[in-house]
Amino acid sequence: MLKPASSLCNMRCKYCFYADVSSKREIKSCGIMSPETRDVILNRVETNLDNGDHIQFIFQGGEPTLAGLPFLRDFTINVKKWKKDISVSYALQTNGLLIDDDWCKFLKENNFLVGVSLDILPDCHDEARRDAKGNSTYKRILDSIHLLDKYEVKYNVLCTLTNAVARYPQKVWNRLVQLGIKYVQFTPCLGELDERESSPYSLSPKRFASFYIQMFRFWYDAYINGKLISIKLFDDILNLMVLGRPSSCGMNGTCQPQLVVEADGSVYPCDFYCLDEYKLGNLKVSSITELLNDQCVQEFVNRPHNSPTLCDGCPYLAFCGGNCKRMQKEICCAGTDNYCGYRDFLNNCGAEFNKIAKEIIYNKTRRR
């Protein structure tokens, strides 16, 4: 994961977790990644990979498009010059404000998967997601999505699941259908990193459960009628049931080491913890292997998981493991031991998930 524009952004979302994280560092923003840093990083990556390997570069922020189209164009050109037979894919997470025809042509030509942030419901979106001048952004982002459609760029929509959005699962579903959105990820809105009290925007376990229980009913009806909308949490649950391994970091309570690269080359083990105390080193001077094998990575991955006592004896413990350590209080238990949103959701929808998983396994077996 690369942050070519660090924490810089042309929006001022009221719940931005990375603005919170970066504000706790000695240096909040590393600015725009220089071409020299970009090229050294690419050389390090190529050196550390073998013929037949695959790598995905994921551009996030802040807002990565602030690095400029020439920066990303040169990035892909330099990758194409690699001497080794390495499979490369790209993803870009954007707020959509700068997406225009030139961006779309580039994204299509290089087969980018684009994630566009849109909070689905216009009022909820425009209340929380204003640009740097305080202007609303919903319509402008919809225009960008229409451009992506026009150029047939692959994309999904990322909706921050705030308490406000989660109040209206029926409206959210209707809007998804109306807009023709086929792929959506609801990202739980997190409270500030060091704060025990929830913000007005952060999700609560009860709101998580009530939203997803109702959303699942709409999704399941569409599924059995052949009109599927991909909802990432449901996809992840089915993947875990069918394959026996998580397809999303933390969903079984286990952290998976990542390499999150800031604009100056600094590397961190997780996007949620790009903090000075977790810095692993710098990709300009260390190899991927050295960074992944650093003792700090293992200390981060194996840090204690403060599972609530409610986890004891839970029928989903092996499946959930207390869930992502950073998201636990938003989707599972919010510091009390008498309710878990994830357990409530699985209690209500687990039977249907099991049925679908068995159908998938049966069909896979038949095709062999």
Side-chain angles (χ1 to χ4, degrees):
M1 180 184 292
L2 300 170
K3 294 181 177 289
S6 190
S7 61
L8 300 175
C9 192
N10 49 1
M11 288 181 64
R12 298 294 182 269
C13 301
K14 295 180 180 179
Y15 49 63
C16 179
F17 86 86
Y18 203 69
D20 171 46
V21 169
S22 61
S23 70
K24 293 175 170 58
R25 298 193 304 233
E26 184 177 345
I27 299 175
K28 176 179 172 62
S29 173
C30 304
I32 303 295
M33 183 180 287
S34 69
E36 292 77 18
T37 297
R38 175 196 64 207
D39 295 343
V40 170
I41 287 173
L42 283 176
N43 182 62
R44 290 246 170 221
V45 172
E46 182 189 13
T47 300
N48 218 185
L49 296 177
D50 296 320
N51 288 319
D53 281 347
H54 173 79
I55 186 168
Q56 182 179 43
F57 292 108
I58 304 170
F59 298 93
Q60 290 202 6
E63 174 49 43
T65 59
L66 289 176
L69 182 52
F71 177 94
L72 265 75
R73 182 177 286 118
D74 287 344
F75 189 102
T76 59
I77 289 172
N78 289 346
V79 168
K80 291 173 183 176
K81 295 177 181 178
W82 283 356
K83 299 290 192 290
K84 295 179 180 178
D85 181 21
I86 298 166
S87 172
V88 181
S89 60
Y90 299 102
L92 173 74
Q93 172 58 39
T94 176
N95 60 34
L97 287 186
L98 295 182
I99 297 299
D100 58 14
D101 292 272
D102 288 338
W103 269 105
C104 287
K105 292 174 185 176
F106 166 78
L107 296 169
K108 177 64 176 178
E109 288 168 1
N110 291 278
N111 200 30
F112 269 71
L113 174 62
V114 180
V116 185
S117 295
L118 181 78
D119 284 357
I120 309 300
L121 304 179
D123 290 345
C124 293
H125 177 102
D126 277 338
E127 192 280 326
R129 299 183 64 84
R130 297 267 168 172
D131 69 14
K133 296 181 179 179
N135 299 316
S136 61
T137 60
Y138 189 86
K139 184 181 182 303
R140 292 149 68 188
I141 295 170
L142 273 188
D143 290 341
S144 295
I145 289 175
H146 295 327
L147 265 183
L148 294 172
D149 282 326
K150 174 184 174 182
Y151 284 92
E152 300 181 337
V153 176
K154 294 183 295 184
Y155 69 90
N156 54 46
V157 167
L158 278 76
C159 170
T160 302
L161 192 59
T162 61
N163 249 328
V165 173
R167 290 178 61 190
Y168 305 107
Q170 176 78 72
K171 289 184 178 180
V172 170
W173 179 262
N174 291 345
R175 189 68 172 151
L176 289 173
V177 173
Q178 179 186 9
L179 294 174
I181 293 171
K182 300 299 183 183
Y183 301 90
V184 62
Q185 175 179 345
F186 297 104
T187 305
C189 185
L190 304 177
E192 293 186 3
L193 193 61
D194 299 327
E195 297 296 325
R196 293 186 176 273
E197 298 295 324
S198 297
S199 76
Y201 298 95
S202 60
L203 196 63
S204 69
K206 288 191 175 181
R207 192 75 82 189
F208 167 89
S210 65
F211 174 82
Y212 270 116
I213 289 169
Q214 294 180 68
M215 185 62 63
F216 181 82
R217 300 305 168 201
F218 306 137
W219 176 88
Y220 189 68
D221 286 344
Y223 168 80
I224 62 179
N225 286 293
K227 298 179 180 179
L228 182 64
I229 292 177
S230 172
I231 295 178
K232 191 173 189 302
L233 177 64
F234 302 165
D235 294 343
D236 288 341
I237 289 173
L238 288 169
N239 281 330
L240 185 54
M241 286 180 165
V242 172
L243 302 175
R245 60 179 183 268
S247 53
S248 181
C249 181
M251 74 172 296
N252 65 343
T254 303
C255 293
Q256 299 170 7
Q258 305 170 39
L259 292 182
V260 182
V261 186
E262 258 286 0
D264 66 344
S266 298
V267 179
Y268 304 87
C270 175
D271 197 24
F272 291 142
Y273 294 93
C274 291
L275 301 165
D276 293 336
E277 56 263 41
Y278 294 112
K279 182 178 174 180
L280 304 178
N282 196 296
L283 195 51
K284 291 190 295 184
V285 297
S286 300
S287 70
I288 292 176
T289 301
E290 289 170 337
L291 292 165
L292 285 175
N293 290 332
D294 191 285
Q295 182 180 351
C296 294
V297 173
Q298 295 307 313
E299 290 175 353
F300 176 83
V301 169
N302 296 320
R303 71 197 190 282
H305 197 321
N306 298 318
S307 298
T309 56
L310 187 61
C311 290
D312 296 340
C314 176
Y316 307 110
L317 183 59
F319 187 79
C320 165
N323 217 275
C324 171
K325 299 172 186 179
R326 178 66 174 95
M327 295 184 181
Q328 182 177 291
K329 66 185 178 67
E330 281 79 24
I331 67 178
C332 292
C333 302
T336 60
D337 292 336
N338 59 356
Y339 178 81
C340 174
Y342 199 46
R343 180 194 286 192
D344 192 3
F345 166 64
L346 291 174
N347 278 339
N348 277 273
C349 307
E352 289 90 344
F353 274 123
N354 274 315
K355 180 180 178 181
I356 297 171
K358 288 179 180 177
E359 290 173 355
I360 294 171
I361 293 170
Y362 174 74
N363 290 332
K364 284 167 68 74
T365 303
R366 285 188 64 190
R367 287 196 294 267
R368 289 175 182 169

